[in-house]
Amino acid sequence: MSKRILIVVDVQNDFLEGGALACEGGKAIIPRINSILDNYDYVIATQDWHSDDHMSFVKSKEELFTTVSLENEEGKCEQTLWPKHCLQNTFGAEFPKDLDSHKFNIIVRKGSNPLIDSYSGLYDNAMTKNEVIFRNPTGLSGVLKELDCEDCCTDVCGIATDVCVRFTVNDILDLGLNSKVRIIENCCVGVTKEGHEHTIAEFKEKGVDTILA
């Protein structure tokens, strides 16, 4: 039986204008997302959910947005350093009030382990330990496998196109499901306009359809 799935990636206050890690144009996509929620059988939202001591948080202004090599008991990784954002149980981590989040069927929280970051909605970022590369699942890959069928469509939207949306879509493609994957272009916003456009072009090269709400 055909299923329509929508994944709403990280539409949270800290990623909107005025937030700790704001993406310009974030508020504008909210009414567009609201307008399509009833078109889907399942609506899944991802939510950045960090502790105050998360490893991805910058310690000094000089290091902001730089990429560094980090090592802890979980393993080694390359990590971009971000301002504190989406702290657990704070306003910044919440879905905005004007987003119809009551229509979400499933909410997948990611980045809750302070020792590993998580861009994708499906897995934590890659870490290396004892020369073995691993990525811990968030649980979303299992949900998608359970919902998968021969005639299934998974649409993706959210913030930011060039980071968490990009990683989420690529991981869905790597699952090799029967589901057709599409990007709702005008329901996404990037860290930068250039990053958004580059990522959309990258998706098209991979055969991912882009649609408009």
Side-chain angles (χ1 to χ4, degrees):
M1 180 180 179
S2 176
K3 295 188 183 77
R4 295 196 67 192
I5 302 165
L6 176 66
I7 300 177
V8 182
V9 178
D10 295 2
V11 180
Q12 298 168 253
N13 288 317
D14 265 346
F15 296 131
L16 306 179
E17 291 87 341
L21 195 50
C23 294
E24 184 177 352
K27 291 183 178 179
I29 69 173
I30 293 174
R32 296 181 200 135
I33 293 173
N34 286 340
S35 72
I36 62 174
L37 293 177
D38 290 336
N39 298 338
Y40 293 89
D41 300 296
Y42 299 93
V43 180
I44 302 168
T46 69
Q47 187 177 26
D48 246 15
W49 197 250
H50 297 314
S51 60
D52 185 68
D53 60 345
H54 198 270
M55 55 90 80
S56 68
F57 293 157
V58 69
K59 300 297 191 297
S60 69
K61 291 182 180 179
E62 290 74 20
E63 294 181 311
L64 188 60
F65 303 129
T66 61
T67 300
V68 299
S69 297
L70 296 178
E71 182 174 5
N72 54 48
E73 53 261 49
E74 289 284 351
K76 302 176 183 178
C77 69
E78 297 294 310
Q79 175 65 49
T80 299
L81 300 178
W82 308 101
K84 284 189 176 182
H85 63 279
C86 296
L87 299 183
Q88 297 170 8
N89 301 307
T90 67
F91 174 79
E94 293 175 0
F95 300 119
K97 288 185 177 179
D98 51 347
L99 177 65
D100 292 339
S101 57
H102 63 281
K103 295 184 178 181
F104 297 163
N105 301 108
I106 300 171
I107 297 172
V108 177
R109 288 175 170 169
K110 61 190 183 67
S112 56
N113 182 344
L115 301 179
I116 305 178
D117 206 359
S118 184
Y119 296 159
S120 170
L122 280 69
Y123 302 98
D124 290 339
N125 292 356
M127 299 284 281
T128 302
K129 190 171 186 178
N130 298 325
E131 300 185 354
V132 176
I133 299 174
F134 67 94
R135 298 179 68 200
N136 295 324
T138 63
L140 180 51
S141 59
V143 171
L144 294 178
K145 289 176 183 178
E146 184 69 24
L147 294 176
D148 190 42
C149 61
E150 289 293 335
D151 183 19
C152 189
C153 182
T154 299
D155 293 343
V156 184
C157 64
I159 305 172
T161 318
D162 40 351
V163 186
C164 294
V165 172
R166 176 175 176 266
F167 276 78
T168 298
V169 170
N170 284 334
D171 280 342
I172 294 172
L173 295 175
D174 287 345
L175 284 180
L177 303 177
N178 292 307
S179 180
K180 181 179 180 63
V181 181
R182 307 186 301 182
I183 300 297
I184 311 176
E185 187 172 350
N186 64 342
C187 290
C188 295
V189 63
V191 174
T192 64
K193 181 180 179 181
E194 294 75 17
H196 171 85
E197 292 174 349
H198 176 80
T199 303
I200 294 297
E202 179 184 271
F203 287 148
K204 289 179 179 179
E205 289 178 1
K206 292 183 177 182
V208 176
D209 289 337
T210 60
I211 62 171
L212 299 176

